[in-house]
Amino acid sequence: VTGHANEAAALAEIGRLITSSTDFGEVFEATAERISTLIPAETISLGTVDAESDTYTTLFRWGLQLPAGSIEMARALAGTSAEIAIRRGSPQIITDELRGKQTATWKGEGQYPLENMKSWLVAPLIVGGKAIGVIHFRASEAGVYTDQHRQLAERIANQIAGPIALAQLHHDLRESEKEQSALAQLAVELALAESAQEMSESIDRTLEGFFQFDRISIVTVDEDEHNLVQIYQRGLHVPGVEIGTVLKFTDIESEFYPWANELAGTTENLDDTNLLDRSSTHKDLG
């Protein structure tokens, strides 16, 4: 009875923490630390899921720092522990085989940051029958998680899924308001701009407020001549491409894509498809 009472008290405390702010980032550390008293974990991660694009995005991690560049970066669900939990609709204790596959396919810099975590437990966050996220529990000792931990993870996931969905809704609304305000300001700046350079700088400044990039370029398109003319660029230099450079669509395939392949760290040969397909390929490469 005492054990059940302690568990109920811990779940109530987790519920209080998770609802204490509409910005979950402010309460995640305290919530994860309280959760770790119920389920042994050296690190706990929370991510959101986009069912339409079959991706998930890690937002927070307690216990271990997220690798640089991985925060809020969408990753493919396919073949991951998150996918298994989501598809089955319940928490899953991840096998050594799948854990090894994820470690082996790490594409970031240096050693896979979770390589020393030998036990993984993953629970889907489900609201209205739809997966909105996943929570990962990891420990360095092998064979830590049991069916009892899996049941606890399900109760915790049920406890926090609703508040997280509300917090995400608040976040999306704030972002929408921010975007509308920025676009309205951009419209004013474009209307008052006296040159293409001023217009391009306004576009650059606006986009930089929403996401990171190493290079931005703006081109005009001449459909009749099949030409692109570079009118603005900033950031990473592309060999042979300067302000005023004219590139035919065919030149882009022969000159730009080999450089882009090198930048993306791949020697993959692109098949002979149209320009849109080639652009999508590089988007997939990041």
Side-chain angles (χ1 to χ4, degrees):
V1 175
T2 302
H4 286 298
N6 290 339
E7 179 186 313
L11 287 172
E13 175 68 5
I14 289 166
R16 185 193 67 77
L17 286 169
I18 200 72
T19 56
S20 62
S21 173
T22 56
D23 182 356
F24 189 54
E26 295 179 352
V27 297
F28 176 73
E29 288 284 326
T31 303
E33 188 168 348
R34 191 68 179 95
I35 288 173
S36 70
T37 65
L38 290 177
I39 298 178
E42 290 162 58
T43 180
I44 297 175
S45 303
L46 176 76
T48 56
V49 172
D50 186 335
E52 292 184 3
S53 61
D54 275 337
T55 60
Y56 76 100
T57 304
T58 301
L59 299 182
F60 309 104
R61 181 179 293 156
W62 168 85
L64 287 178
Q65 188 174 359
L66 281 166
S70 69
I71 301 175
E72 298 190 4
M73 184 177 75
R75 303 178 187 277
L77 265 175
T80 66
S81 56
E83 181 191 35
I84 289 180
I86 289 168
R87 300 291 182 244
R88 295 180 181 175
S90 62
Q92 301 294 314
I93 298 170
I94 303 305
T95 64
D96 290 343
E97 181 182 5
L98 178 58
R99 183 176 57 79
K101 284 181 180 179
Q102 284 200 228
T103 302
T105 56
W106 168 246
K107 295 181 180 179
E109 295 182 4
Q111 183 186 33
Y112 181 60
L114 299 167
E115 188 169 355
N116 294 327
M117 298 293 110
K118 306 301 183 185
S119 293
W120 290 13
L121 172 62
V122 185
L125 304 176
I126 300 173
V127 175
K130 178 182 177 182
I132 64 158
V134 286
I135 184 167
H136 288 75
F137 308 87
R138 295 181 175 95
S140 58
E141 183 182 343
V144 165
Y145 298 121
T146 65
D147 192 57
Q148 181 181 2
H149 293 130
R150 194 184 62 78
Q151 293 172 17
L152 264 173
E154 187 163 25
R155 287 196 280 275
I156 290 169
N158 291 339
Q159 180 90 337
I160 68 176
I164 288 175
L166 286 174
Q168 188 62 41
L169 178 60
H170 279 283
H171 175 270
D172 291 345
L173 288 172
R174 287 196 302 270
E175 286 299 304
S176 177
E177 291 172 356
K178 178 183 174 183
E179 290 171 9
Q180 291 177 19
S181 176
L183 291 174
Q185 177 62 31
L186 176 61
V188 172
E189 292 180 7
L190 293 179
L192 297 175
E194 297 180 355
S195 67
Q197 176 71 15
E198 286 187 13
M199 294 176 70
S200 298
E201 289 174 353
S202 292
I203 294 170
D204 183 353
R205 202 163 43 244
T206 300
L207 294 179
E208 192 177 31
F210 292 99
F211 56 91
Q212 295 180 330
F213 47 83
D214 297 313
R215 171 181 169 81
I216 181 172
S217 65
I218 299 175
V219 300
T220 57
V221 180
D222 187 329
E223 293 281 2
D224 294 331
E225 297 294 329
H226 297 282
N227 283 346
L228 301 177
V229 180
Q230 193 83 14
I231 64 169
Y232 178 84
Q233 62 180 8
R234 181 180 66 81
L236 192 65
H237 177 65
V238 177
V241 180
E242 309 293 346
I243 300 297
T245 296
V246 178
L247 283 174
K248 289 186 175 293
F249 291 160
T250 53
D251 293 337
I252 293 172
E253 296 179 22
S254 64
E255 295 179 13
F256 175 74
Y257 284 105
W259 170 82
N261 272 337
E262 181 180 351
L263 178 67
T266 178
T267 56
E268 177 184 342
N269 293 320
L270 299 174
D271 55 11
D272 191 17
T273 53
N274 62 44
L275 187 60
L276 178 59
D277 290 337
R278 292 171 186 264
S279 298
S280 298
T281 299
H282 286 289
K283 179 181 178 183
D284 294 339
L285 290 172

